[in-house]
Amino acid sequence: MLTRDEALERVRAQNPDIGLFHHALASEAVMRALAEKMGEDVELWGITGLVHDVDFPLTKDEPAKHGVVAQDLLGDLPEEARGAILAHNGEMTGTMPSGRFDYALRCAETVTGLISAAALVRPEGLHGMQAKSLKKKMKDKAFAASVNRDNIRECEHIAMTLDEFLELAVAAMLPLEKELGLAKS
């Protein structure tokens, strides 16, 4: 199993742009919070969130390979984690999510984009962000248009309501607001 430092080094070795690096950190935070809530392996889930897009700089022009190339870069990650990474891009890899870990990664990594976009347009950033306002943003198809709302709603597969999931994700990202470039002051 990779340590967090090793996982972070693998992400950095691919020279991700700053937005992708922030996405990795935010995904890690949400996955750790989900694992803690569900009594799962916090370290495994967090590291999986951190490295889930490790191959994106190599595959951004070939979406069907995103998640597949990561398998070679992450051979020492447990099989269940590598499977979740394939399933987070299941529509392209052909590996659809089948269990709680798979669905957790899909909805966690997706929600980070919605939350980050919302924080950037709010005077308070992440502070005081409510599920109600995020659900309103989800209805606006033009807002954060690349965020797949259906993936976020997959939180029902991990036995969470949309409100619960959104609140957990905001709370997980809040301590990292400066590191994620979302701090307002």
Side-chain angles (χ1 to χ4, degrees):
M1 169 76 172
L2 290 172
T3 65
R4 184 182 188 276
D5 287 343
E6 292 167 337
L8 197 54
E9 182 53 38
R10 295 230 183 130
V11 170
R12 286 185 173 136
Q14 299 307 317
N15 296 314
D17 66 36
I18 193 68
L20 185 59
F21 187 69
H22 289 164
H23 171 66
L25 296 176
S27 297
E28 175 190 19
V30 176
M31 285 296 286
R32 285 181 182 279
L34 285 170
E36 187 172 315
K37 179 174 179 55
M38 296 177 186
E40 295 290 347
D41 184 334
V42 173
E43 208 54 30
L44 175 62
W45 281 40
I47 287 171
T48 302
L50 180 62
V51 300
H52 80 280
D53 277 343
V54 70
D55 67 357
F56 190 76
L58 304 170
T59 63
K60 62 184 169 198
D61 296 326
E62 299 176 88
K65 291 185 178 181
H66 178 47
V68 176
V69 171
Q71 303 304 299
D72 292 332
L73 299 172
L74 302 169
D76 46 357
L77 201 61
E79 186 175 332
E80 65 182 313
R82 292 192 324 271
I85 290 168
L86 275 173
H88 98 277
N89 186 30
E91 291 78 6
M92 299 305 278
T93 65
T95 302
M96 295 308 292
S98 62
R100 186 159 70 165
F101 193 10
D102 297 354
Y103 282 108
L105 181 59
R106 275 173 63 97
C107 61
E109 72 94 17
T110 305
V111 79
T112 65
L114 178 72
I115 292 170
S116 295
L120 290 172
V121 299
R122 294 179 78 241
E124 321 73 20
L126 288 170
H127 291 275
M129 188 179 289
Q130 301 288 318
K132 180 181 176 181
S133 67
L134 286 170
K135 290 192 319 188
K136 187 175 178 181
K137 294 286 189 197
M138 285 177 69
K139 290 178 185 177
D140 179 358
K141 302 289 187 216
F143 182 80
S146 65
V147 172
N148 186 328
R149 276 81 164 142
D150 291 335
N151 282 9
I152 294 171
R153 289 185 194 97
E154 287 180 355
C155 64
E156 68 188 27
H157 293 287
I158 58 172
M160 291 184 80
T161 67
L162 184 56
D163 283 357
E164 290 171 326
F165 176 65
L166 293 171
E167 289 168 10
L168 176 140
V170 170
M173 290 173 61
L174 184 59
L176 298 175
E177 70 178 340
K178 280 187 178 179
E179 199 170 355
L180 298 176
L182 301 174
K184 292 296 181 164
S185 53

